[in-house]
């Protein structure tokens, strides 16, 4: 990472003990109610400071200072890629939460700098961990996104090792890191490392964004990747 | 393209080629031959005269053989044309000065036609270039032996326009007919594709409407029951029924992307059966794959569907298509179908030996009461689908 993107906005790493705040953009009251319930049951609880189907909710208080934005990509007729890019540019941590599972959309969100992409079918298990991970800048790749990375056959896809690809697929298929590890004769820790490495590679290939900078910094600090690997 | 039209286009282009060949044969045997025989002993002598003529006849026969075999000249066309041009250049240089623009130069009225023949399937501009090349060769003696007199130049002009013009015109007509045949074939192919797409879309639409009705039949009483209070939202079975209905609807909404994929249609049918037995199925699809032969589809779905048919509780079904790069750097298509499901009474033993049929490798893992079966097809495993 010879010329890394500048870090803008608030400090990316927050104290893990403090309370996490989130704001959700979604037009279905049932979804909002469900997310509110999950956030309330989370340990520690996540405070959902605002919710609604207006994008202005994300830019005005109290939503404007929420740690994490839960973003329904398919609010309108077209996916809200431009709105997503604007949020990312403003240094927001965005968890895209969509009813659609198609790979190109998920990968485009990641490329634009979304923190992660989550399908609504995965929400029950993965939304709260994803919000918590977003607040701590720890990569979080839910199974559907893992499948989208595995299925990527675009010309500019990052180069992945066979072990990384097999891990992506096993995690996508089983939704269980323990089972994936068992199948591939790896430890759960190694499975997590492979998945994180892939996420870092995609962050590195994406456009400059605070998410990218934060993920790469953290990955280098944790010794997950060597700076030389990300060059070029 | 429909077979009928494909056959018609091929036979039409062949007839066109035969027509051009006939024109050249007639010119060679009924126009050029009498001229040649009338002056066979004139300079440059009978041997050169007849040699040149036989060379042209040989080229004509070669073309006739290619037409009969329905083959193009391919990479031989330019060597052949250059040989003819070289022979023609030698011939003009051996002619007595002043005879180049007269009927003594019978070679000139024949050679351009070979451009029309040999360059039949090339753009018109290459025929024009060849004919221009013949004219340039004709003008070589003028350059070497000094300017010719006026009548000779006029003669050259007339010959150039009449002979070259006729040749280029024929090539133009043949090219136009060739383009029309090509356009007709591609139009028909487009129409055929549109018809197929429409038919598939109609079938899919009917099928989807049927399933919307089915969902209405099962979801409506559930919603009505929740609304009028006869069903308790806290009841486990009600929660379960809601989850199943939601999964079915989600799948129906997501379907528009993959119209008419047989592998998915077969999987969906199995998923629907499992759902009717009360299994909560989550089907997730990523990536794309080519149209797979039936035996590959069967091998891919066999084991996973067996698991699904005996599953209880919940099942996760995934289909993922991708392109891998093998050790030699070749791109290899892969498709994997996986089912992870609760199964009662399975022994808690893990790892079952992988099996392989039709290029599909199937692995199974048992995990407590869950079983995970994964079938993977790779295009390079020598299966019937590997040619794609």
């Amino acid at each position: 990472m010879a010329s890394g993107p500048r870090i803008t906005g608030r400090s990316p790493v927050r104290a893990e003990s403090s309370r996490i705040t989130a704001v959700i953009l979604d037009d279905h009251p049932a979804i909002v109610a469900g997310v509110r319930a999950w956030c309330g049951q989370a340990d520690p609880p996540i405070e959902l400071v605002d919710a609604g189907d207006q994008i202005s909710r994300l830019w005005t208080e109290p939503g404007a200072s929420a740690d994490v934005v839960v973003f329904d990509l398919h609010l309108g007729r077209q996916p809200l890629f431009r709105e997503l890019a604007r949020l990312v540019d403003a240094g927001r941590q965005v968890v895209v939460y969509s009813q659609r599972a198609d790979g190109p959309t998920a990968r485009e969100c990641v490329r634009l700098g979304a923190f992660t992409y989550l399908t609504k079918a995965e929400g029950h298990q993965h939304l709260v961990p994803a919000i918590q991970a977003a607040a701590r800048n720890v990569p979080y790749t839910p199974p559907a996104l893992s499948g989208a990375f595995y299925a990527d056959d675009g010309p500019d896809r990052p180069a992945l090792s066979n072990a990384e690809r097999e891990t992506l697929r096993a995690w996508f298929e089983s939704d269980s890191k323990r089972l994936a590890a068992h199948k591939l004769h790896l430890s759960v820790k190694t499975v997590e490392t492979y998945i994180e490495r892939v996420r870092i590679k995609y962050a590195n290939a994406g456009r400059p964004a605070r998410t990218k900078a934060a993920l790469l910094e953290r990955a280098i600090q944790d010794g997950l990747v060597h700076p030389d690997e990300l060059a070029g | 393209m429909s077979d009928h039209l494909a056959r018609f286009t091929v036979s039409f282009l062949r007839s066109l080629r035969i027509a051009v060949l006939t024109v050249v044969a007639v010119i060679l045997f009924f126009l050029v031959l009498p001229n040649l025989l009338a002056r066979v002993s004139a300079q440059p002598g009978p041997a050169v005269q007849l040699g040149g003529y036989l060379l042209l006849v040989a080229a004509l026969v070669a073309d006739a053989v290619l037409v009969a075999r329905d083959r193009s000249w391919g990479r031989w066309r330019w060597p052949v044309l250059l040989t003819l041009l070289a022979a023609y250049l030698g011939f003009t240089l051996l002619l007595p000065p002043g005879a180049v623009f007269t009927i003594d130069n019978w070679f000139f009225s024949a050679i351009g036609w070979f451009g029309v023949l040999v360059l039949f399937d090339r753009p018109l501009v290459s025929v024009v270039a060849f004919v221009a090349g013949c004219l340039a060769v004709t003008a070589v003696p003028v350059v070497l032996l000094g300017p010719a007199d006026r009548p000779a130049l006029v003669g050259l002009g007339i010959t150039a326009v009449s002979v070259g013009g006729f040749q280029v015109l024929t090539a133009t007509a043949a090219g136009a007919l060739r383009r029309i045949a090509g356009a007709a074939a591609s139009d028909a192919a487009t129409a055929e594709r549109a018809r197929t797409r429409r038919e598939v879309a109609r079938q899919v639409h009917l099928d989807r409407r049927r399933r919307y009705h089915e969902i209405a039949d099962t979801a409506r009483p559930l919603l009505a029951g929740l609304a009028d209070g006869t069903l308790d939202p806290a009841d486990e079975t009600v929660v379960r029924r809601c989850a199943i209905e939601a999964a079915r609807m989600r799948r129906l909404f997501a379907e528009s992307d993959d119209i008419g994929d047989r592998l998915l249609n077969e999987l969906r049918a199995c998923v629907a059966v499992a759902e009717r037995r009360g299994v909560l199925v989550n089907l997730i699809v990523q990536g794309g794959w080519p149209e797979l032969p039936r035996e590959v589809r069967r091998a891919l779905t066999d084991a996973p569907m067996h698991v699904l048919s005996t599953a209880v509780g919940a099942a996760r079904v995934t289909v993922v298509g991708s392109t891998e790069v093998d050790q030699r750097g070749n791109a290899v298509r892969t498709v994997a179908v996986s089912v992870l499901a609760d199964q009662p009474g399975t022994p808690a033993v893990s790892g079952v030996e992988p099996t392989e049929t039709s290029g599909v490798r199937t692995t199974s893992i048992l995990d407590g009461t869950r079983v995970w079966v994964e079938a993977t097809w790779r295009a390079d495993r020598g299966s019937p689908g590997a040619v794609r």
Side-chain angles (χ1 to χ4, degrees), chain A residues 99-104 106-107 120-122 125 143-145 147-148 150-153 157 162 165-166 169-176 178-180 182-184, chain B residues 250 254 257 282 284-288 316-325 327 333-340 350-351 363 365-367 370 372 374-376:
Chain A
Q99 72 267 29
R100 296 192 49 157
D102 68 300
R107 292 191 296 267
K120 285 186 178 164
E122 297 172 314
Q125 276 172 289
L145 181 59
Y150 173 78
D152 189 359
D153 51 9
R157 60 177 169 176
N162 273 342
R165 285 178 54 80
E166 287 309 307
R169 189 172 85 178
W171 166 231
F172 167 60
E173 288 175 346
S174 65
D175 190 8
S176 157
R178 188 179 60 77
L179 265 182
H182 180 62
K183 179 182 166 64
L184 300 171
Chain B
R250 210 161 26 227
D257 303 341
N282 193 1
I284 313 146
V285 180
Q286 283 292 354
R316 179 179 177 86
V317 181
T318 62
V319 190
V320 60
S322 183
T323 308
E324 255 162 40
V325 180
Q327 284 114 345
R333 302 297 295 261
T334 65
V335 184
V337 177
S338 151
V339 173
L340 176 64
S350 70
T363 60
I365 286 179
L366 302 172
D367 173 57
R370 286 201 297 180
W372 177 16
E374 179 197 64
T376 315

Side-chain angles (χ1 to χ4, degrees), chain A:
Chain A
M1 200 178 68
S3 58
R6 272 181 306 125
I7 294 179
T8 54
R10 282 153 294 125
S11 165
V13 182
R14 43 170 294 121
E16 301 196 4
S17 58
S18 70
R19 204 172 167 80
I20 299 169
T21 55
V23 57
I24 180 169
L25 175 78
D26 203 298
D27 55 348
H28 287 290
I31 298 279
V32 173
V35 170
R36 194 180 292 282
W38 294 334
C39 286
Q41 287 161 11
D43 181 30
I46 298 163
E47 193 186 342
L48 200 61
V49 293
D50 202 1
D53 58 358
Q54 299 294 318
I55 289 166
S56 57
R57 290 284 177 91
L58 308 176
W59 293 97
T60 51
E61 293 301 336
S65 54
D67 299 320
V68 179
V69 177
V70 180
F71 187 78
D72 182 3
L73 188 72
H74 293 94
L75 200 62
R77 281 168 190 275
Q78 300 290 324
L80 303 174
F81 288 128
R82 199 176 298 170
E83 292 300 331
L84 172 63
R86 243 176 243 151
L87 286 164
V88 170
D89 288 340
R92 308 292 295 270
Q93 285 288 70
V94 184
V95 172
V96 176
Y97 191 44
S98 165
Q99 72 267 29
R100 296 192 49 157
D102 68 300
T105 306
R107 292 191 296 267
E108 176 63 7
C109 288
V110 166
R111 194 190 67 79
L112 286 173
F115 172 76
T116 192
Y117 186 96
L118 199 63
T119 63
K120 285 186 178 164
E122 297 172 314
H124 179 59
Q125 276 172 289
H126 294 284
L127 183 60
V128 164
I131 293 174
Q132 287 166 341
R136 287 186 289 123
N137 269 312
V138 184
Y140 196 85
T141 307
L145 181 59
S146 181
F149 287 155
Y150 173 78
D152 189 359
D153 51 9
D156 48 0
R157 60 177 169 176
L160 305 182
S161 71
N162 273 342
E164 285 166 350
R165 285 178 54 80
E166 287 309 307
T167 308
L168 286 179
R169 189 172 85 178
W171 166 231
F172 167 60
E173 288 175 346
S174 65
D175 190 8
S176 157
K177 285 176 181 158
R178 188 179 60 77
L179 265 182
H182 180 62
K183 179 182 166 64
L184 300 171
H185 307 292
L186 300 170
S187 69
V188 172
K189 182 70 203 147
T190 309
V191 164
E192 283 173 349
T193 304
Y194 281 147
I195 297 170
E196 283 186 27
R197 280 179 61 95
V198 173
R199 180 65 186 90
I200 299 305
K201 285 180 182 179
Y202 269 89
N204 192 42
R207 70 185 190 119
R210 198 195 67 116
T211 316
K212 171 177 175 171
L215 283 178
L216 297 191
E217 266 193 15
R218 178 118 189 177
I220 291 166
Q221 277 168 19
D222 292 354
L224 196 63
V225 288
H226 192 268
D228 293 346
E229 285 181 79
L230 300 174

Side-chain angles (χ1 to χ4, degrees), chain B residues 28 31-42 45-46 48-54 91 103-104 106:
Chain B
L28 206 58
L31 201 72
V32 173
L33 190 58
N35 280 340
L36 165 69
L37 292 178
R39 52 185 60 75
V40 69
S41 51
V48 175
Q49 300 263 27
L50 287 175
Y53 186 76
L54 287 178
F91 182 80
I103 198 75
D104 286 346
W106 54 265

